[in-house]
Amino acid sequence: MATLGDIGVAATINIITAIIFLLAFAILRIQPFNDRVYFPKWYLKGIRSSPLHSGALVSKFVNVNLGSYLRFLNWMPAALKMPEPELIDHAGLDSAVYLRIYLIGLKIFVPIALLAWSILVPVNWTSDGLQLAKLRNVTSSDIDKLSISNIERGSERFWTHLVMAYTFTFWTCFVLMKEYEKVASMRLSFLQSEQRRPDQFTVLVRNVPSDPDESISESVEHYFLVNHPDHYLTHQVVYNANDLADLVEKKRSTQNWLDYYQLKYTRNQDQRPRIKTGFLGLWGEKVDAIDHYIAEIEKLNDQIMEERKKVKKDDKSVMPAAFVSFKTRWGAAVCAQTQQSRNPTEWLTEWAPEAREVFWSNLAIPYVSLTVRRLIMHVAFFFLTFFFMIPIAFVQSLASIEGIEKSAPFLKPIIEKDLVKSVIQGFLPGIVLKLFIIFLPSILMVMSKFEGFVSLSSLERRAAFRYYIFNLVNVFLGSIITGSAFEQLDSFLKQSANQIPRTVGVAIPIKATFFITYIMVDGWAGVAGEILRLKPLIFFHVKNFFLVKTEKDREEAMNPGQINFHATEPRIQLYFLLGLVYAPVTPVLLPFIIIFFALAYLVFRHQIINVYNQEYESAGRFWPDVHGRIISALIISQVLLLGLMSTKGAAQSTPFLIALPVLTFFFHRFCKGRYEPAFLRHPLQEAMIKDTLEQAREPNFNLKPYLKKAYIHPVFKDDEYEDVRSEVSGYYLGDTDEECVTVPTKRQSRITTPAASHASGGSMRSPS
């Protein structure tokens, strides 16, 4: 168990590590040859140019301005200087809302920490519970004297913790409600002020019923001309083009090599470049590189053309889904938010994802298989979560004095030294746990992709939800169980059964020392390491030296990255959980959490302004998830406090805690009903206002050409195959007439049709 001295050693190590990371970043960021690593966002916006193209030879690579080294911390005020409205214009609403999660942490925990340290800490410190407890083999340290463990059993002082629990709950709920209201307002304002985007007019239709008389494309067109005659504009059916996408990607890579060798030959025309045709160019026949890649591209062009024709002609390549676009946002909102058919499993509609965030390969998954896939992933995640606890418990047991002495007795003389012992107990468990789950977000993202979600934002939200559950079960509950129950097993065996709850009541708060070390490793040094960007820095220079062949390659080598929501947001939620659980129990943990939120806000604000380039914009769609997880953390903290106090003989005060989870749940229901609709649906009133304003500003704008090509699969967006694309796009690209006299149908006779149309359900009609 970590003592106060161990915590001090761990804090020293992590503070020094964080300072080293920040100083290294401050120096590396001002070097010209690192400019693309630390300011890639400005390059992608076309605002910043490379300093390597100007100045003296030395100054192209090394900053020789000594004054800039004296101002090495100027990035901090610069990161805070940009106001939020400008930040939204610069990086998008998702980024601004993400930063507000850290601000919520500061708004919640700074006042709670002040109250806890001014009221709870003196109450805990002046008690004598740990001295009076006669529990054998239950260890404690000076830190535990600041916790509820030091309150003697049955003391009236528990009333203080009860009052503080109510105070912390009301303050947290107040902050959450204000933030929910603010973010909902920001989202609606952003959607209202945002420029025209295809997804504002487009709906994704799934599970289109088959019709023996019409193709999928004809059935979709027929259905929406009948049922949305005044607002339907055009559509694009979904193709299973995954094999074609592989060929197009292979051609892109081959073209890149051709550009490289042509550029190389242009610089030195004395000798044409030659390569070996074997694996990785290590062996095989030696041929002319330019001629070889030209021939490879011609071969791939033929394969791509054949595959495109196959996709076009093969009915099995057309999925029962389509992107349907409307003349107005109002029409799209009505379609996306209503039931289309009397059969609720057909003609399923939802808002189309932003065009750049569509995960195209998952659109080819049959809708009927999605339920099976998700069931499989639920089972897989269950086993992953609960069986992961076994290796975590085993590894953490080795990352302790007793575990090391047991597995490696010859190290006992070394690890018994005070400094080594402090490092092991105060630093090693946290870093081992961090390393052990480092690949988990990637695993969970693969699982989400297998489930078949069709947008990047939905993939990340599902992976984030599972990561949060994993953290709750393994990192939080798992650490408490293995750290408390297992450590106190000897004490349990030597006590009577009625003494076990008392032991648990004393042991659970003691685990706060482990979480303090984990916060310092993950939240201090880990966040500081984020701004250093060591991995992208190394990869950029390696690629730049060995692989970069063209300016396009250099741009791709920058790898600005983005906010990995599925990895970072669950980590933030773990800190909310720890803070809310331990605020009334062991307030000493709160300053460590506050430092994390403050440092992370500063670091990620800088990264969002200068580095990250988001792949998509969901307008803060993830906020209800954030709110719900903080509420769940609040309820968990209340239930655990209730269970803890029930073991401390606080019979008079404990029943008053029962109302807290109930009140918190109803508060959540209120927020869910009041604010969540802004994140799930688009108000028709807002859509109509936007349509009316746009109609007044641009009365002659032709929307149909703008929407026709928005949701064509990227593999069809090749100018070289424009004629093929027009054939497979599902509608006539040359048709600009928005009037339609009759509903088109391929049926020879409506009289001889044995069943009513899936689309109309009755006779034909003319759209107005």
Side-chain angles (χ1 to χ4, degrees):
M1 177 180 300
T3 63
L4 187 60
D6 300 335
I7 297 297
V9 171
T12 302
I13 294 174
N14 285 285
I15 290 173
I16 292 176
T17 303
I19 291 175
I20 291 174
F21 285 161
L22 294 175
L23 287 176
F25 160 73
I27 295 173
L28 291 173
R29 69 184 286 271
I30 61 177
Q31 307 306 319
F33 65 93
N34 291 329
D35 206 56
R36 288 181 179 269
V37 178
Y38 293 110
F39 300 96
K41 191 176 186 72
W42 300 102
Y43 280 91
L44 295 176
K45 284 179 171 286
I47 298 175
R48 196 178 183 96
S49 59
S50 175
L52 300 179
H53 299 321
S54 60
L57 180 62
V58 176
S59 61
K60 287 182 178 181
F61 299 94
V62 180
N63 190 334
V64 296
N65 182 5
L66 298 180
S68 61
Y69 291 92
L70 300 177
R71 301 186 299 271
F72 67 95
L73 292 179
N74 63 354
W75 67 270
M76 293 185 178
L80 300 174
K81 188 176 181 181
M82 183 179 287
E84 189 172 63
E86 186 179 342
L87 180 67
I88 294 174
D89 292 336
H90 174 69
L93 184 61
D94 278 343
S95 299
V97 170
Y98 175 80
L99 290 174
R100 295 192 74 89
I101 306 177
Y102 296 104
L103 283 180
I104 282 187
L106 294 174
K107 290 178 181 179
I108 290 176
F109 290 117
V110 170
I112 285 179
L114 293 175
L115 274 176
W117 276 83
S118 60
I119 298 175
L120 288 182
V121 169
V123 169
N124 296 336
W125 179 261
T126 56
S127 299
D128 299 312
L130 292 176
Q131 285 75 14
L132 297 176
K134 303 299 182 181
L135 299 175
R136 293 178 300 167
N137 298 327
V138 176
T139 57
S140 63
S141 66
D142 291 338
I143 293 179
D144 301 313
K145 294 180 180 179
L146 303 176
S147 75
I148 199 174
S149 299
N150 202 33
I151 305 292
E152 52 266 29
R153 182 177 175 82
S155 173
E156 293 294 324
R157 297 189 179 208
F158 286 116
W159 283 102
T160 306
H161 296 80
L162 184 144
V163 173
M164 286 296 99
Y166 269 89
T167 304
F168 297 163
T169 297
F170 289 154
W171 173 249
T172 302
C173 291
F174 174 77
V175 172
L176 287 176
M177 184 178 69
K178 289 297 183 181
E179 284 297 318
Y180 214 150
E181 182 179 8
K182 174 66 176 177
V183 174
S185 176
M186 290 171 61
R187 173 179 166 84
L188 293 176
S189 299
F190 179 80
L191 294 175
Q192 193 67 12
S193 62
E194 196 177 22
Q195 294 181 349
R196 182 188 295 111
R197 286 193 337 195
D199 55 291
Q200 298 169 352
F201 301 86
T202 307
V203 168
L204 174 60
V205 182
R206 308 286 293 271
N207 217 23
V208 176
S210 59
D211 192 308
D213 298 306
E214 294 181 328
S215 66
I216 294 294
S217 179
E218 294 162 348
S219 181
V220 169
E221 184 178 35
H222 183 196
Y223 179 89
F224 283 95
L225 280 172
V226 168
N227 295 285
H228 297 267
D230 299 326
H231 300 283
Y232 167 75
L233 183 61
T234 186
H235 75 279
Q236 170 59 51
V237 294
V238 174
Y239 291 91
N240 183 355
N242 291 345
D243 293 339
L244 179 58
D246 293 338
L247 289 173
V248 171
E249 180 59 32
K250 186 176 180 180
K251 178 194 170 184
R252 186 178 293 112
S253 176
T254 306
Q255 182 66 50
N256 210 22
W257 281 108
L258 176 61
D259 294 341
Y260 166 68
Y261 284 112
Q262 286 178 335
L263 181 62
K264 184 177 180 179
Y265 179 65
T266 302
R267 292 173 178 173
N268 182 15
Q269 298 187 2
D270 294 337
Q271 183 178 2
R272 288 178 67 86
R274 298 178 67 82
I275 61 169
K276 294 181 179 180
T277 58
F279 178 72
L280 295 178
L282 299 177
W283 58 74
E285 181 185 358
K286 207 168 187 178
V287 297
D288 184 285
I290 296 178
D291 293 341
H292 171 73
Y293 283 113
I294 289 177
E296 286 294 314
I297 290 176
E298 290 178 353
K299 187 188 302 181
L300 286 171
N301 284 340
D302 293 339
Q303 293 177 0
I304 289 172
M305 180 64 74
E306 289 299 319
E307 184 65 25
R308 287 184 174 180
K309 291 180 179 178
K310 177 182 176 183
V311 170
K312 169 194 168 185
K313 295 179 180 179
D314 189 1
D315 292 338
K316 295 181 179 179
S317 297
V318 182
M319 306 305 298
F323 290 100
V324 180
S325 298
F326 295 82
K327 300 175 183 177
T328 63
R329 295 174 181 84
W330 188 92
V334 170
C335 181
Q337 297 164 184
T338 54
Q339 181 175 318
Q340 301 302 309
S341 170
R342 68 172 62 184
N343 184 347
T345 64
E346 295 179 348
W347 297 103
L348 304 178
T349 57
E350 59 184 276
W351 279 107
E354 187 185 4
R356 59 178 174 166
E357 73 155 323
V358 175
F359 195 70
W360 292 98
S361 59
N362 276 4
L363 284 172
I365 299 175
Y367 186 81
V368 292
S369 70
L370 294 180
T371 302
V372 177
R373 284 170 168 260
R374 290 172 186 176
L375 176 60
I376 293 173
M377 285 300 99
H378 287 325
V379 175
F381 178 68
F382 174 83
F383 285 104
L384 174 68
T385 301
F386 287 95
F387 281 95
F388 218 86
M389 189 180 296
I390 297 174
I392 285 181
F394 174 72
V395 172
Q396 289 211 69
S397 68
L398 295 180
S400 63
I401 298 295
E402 296 80 5
I404 295 175
E405 290 180 349
K406 184 177 180 180
S407 56
F410 59 90
L411 294 177
K412 185 174 181 179
I414 299 176
I415 63 178
E416 286 295 335
K417 294 181 179 180
D418 292 341
L419 180 59
V420 177
K421 189 175 182 179
S422 296
V423 171
I424 292 174
Q425 295 190 145
F427 180 73
L428 192 59
I431 193 68
V432 167
L433 179 59
K434 175 66 176 176
L435 292 175
F436 210 71
I437 62 176
I438 195 170
F439 297 108
L440 184 65
S442 299
I443 296 173
L444 296 178
M445 178 58 76
V446 171
M447 294 174 68
S448 297
K449 291 178 180 178
F450 180 82
E451 284 188 88
F453 292 98
V454 297
S455 67
L456 297 179
S457 59
S458 58
L459 286 170
E460 291 206 326
R461 289 200 303 272
R462 172 51 67 95
F465 169 72
R466 286 189 166 145
Y467 195 12
Y468 171 73
I469 297 298
F470 183 92
N471 280 339
L472 175 63
V473 174
N474 282 291
V475 179
F476 180 68
L477 295 178
S479 296
I480 287 179
I481 294 172
T482 59
S484 295
F486 291 174
E487 286 177 6
Q488 308 303 332
L489 182 59
D490 182 61
S491 179
F492 290 161
L493 296 176
K494 296 179 181 179
Q495 295 178 59
S496 60
N498 60 355
Q499 292 293 316
I500 294 178
R502 185 178 176 189
T503 303
V504 175
V506 175
I508 287 179
I510 294 175
K511 196 57 184 177
T513 56
F514 164 75
F515 289 118
I516 289 175
T517 63
Y518 181 78
I519 291 170
M520 288 189 292
V521 170
D522 180 67
W524 294 9
V527 170
E530 172 69 25
I531 200 171
L532 181 59
R533 306 198 76 220
L534 187 59
K535 180 180 174 181
L537 177 68
I538 295 173
F539 276 38
F540 171 76
H541 287 299
V542 170
K543 290 180 179 178
N544 194 41
F545 187 80
F546 292 104
L547 302 177
V548 167
K549 302 175 286 294
T550 64
E551 192 63 28
K552 182 180 179 182
D553 287 343
R554 185 169 288 105
E555 184 175 299
E556 293 178 353
M558 287 193 302
N559 185 24
Q562 61 175 338
I563 299 172
N564 291 319
F565 181 81
H566 66 288
T568 57
E569 193 270 344
R571 179 177 67 177
I572 306 173
Q573 295 300 335
L574 177 62
Y575 295 133
F576 276 108
L577 177 63
L578 294 176
L580 292 172
V581 166
Y582 281 99
V585 175
T586 311
V588 70
L589 185 135
L590 293 177
F592 297 90
I593 290 179
I594 291 173
I595 292 174
F596 160 75
F597 279 114
L599 179 62
Y601 177 74
L602 179 65
V603 166
F604 281 99
R605 208 173 202 276
H606 172 274
Q607 300 295 83
I608 285 171
I609 292 173
N610 297 297
V611 180
Y612 295 149
N613 185 47
Q614 294 302 110
E615 292 185 22
Y616 62 87
E617 176 61 59
S618 69
R621 173 66 180 82
F622 55 82
W623 189 258
D625 300 335
V626 174
H627 174 88
R629 287 166 197 157
I630 298 177
I631 288 292
S632 67
L634 190 58
I635 293 176
I636 290 171
S637 70
Q638 295 159 356
V639 172
L640 290 180
L641 181 62
L642 178 64
L644 176 60
M645 291 184 65
S646 66
T647 68
K648 304 288 285 185
Q652 294 180 342
S653 57
T654 301
F656 288 93
L657 283 173
I658 298 176
L660 268 184
V662 178
L663 293 175
T664 305
F665 174 76
F666 279 102
F667 167 77
H668 174 60
R669 297 298 302 176
F670 164 76
C671 290
K672 189 177 180 68
R674 173 63 180 84
Y675 302 114
E676 190 175 13
F679 298 85
L680 301 178
R681 296 182 289 274
H682 189 54
L684 297 181
Q685 181 185 24
E686 299 287 329
M688 180 60 76
I689 292 174
K690 185 75 171 175
D691 288 332
T692 303
L693 291 175
E694 196 169 89
Q695 181 68 24
R697 291 170 184 164
E698 302 176 85
N700 298 321
F701 181 79
N702 190 354
L703 190 61
K704 191 169 186 178
Y706 173 74
L707 295 176
K708 273 183 176 180
K709 303 176 184 179
Y711 285 95
I712 294 177
H713 196 294
V715 296
F716 294 117
K717 292 182 177 180
D718 190 341
D719 293 335
E720 186 178 347
Y721 300 99
E722 186 69 33
D723 56 332
V724 178
R725 181 176 62 187
S726 65
E727 291 183 65
V728 302
S729 60
Y731 46 75
Y732 298 100
L733 297 180
D735 182 16
T736 58
D737 185 10
E738 296 186 5
E739 297 297 328
C740 184
V741 179
T742 59
V743 177
T745 178
K746 293 295 184 180
R747 293 183 175 86
Q748 298 299 319
S749 172
R750 302 292 291 181
I751 300 176
T752 59
T753 301
S757 168
H758 286 288
S760 63
S763 59
M764 295 187 296
R765 55 170 294 188
S766 298
S768 55

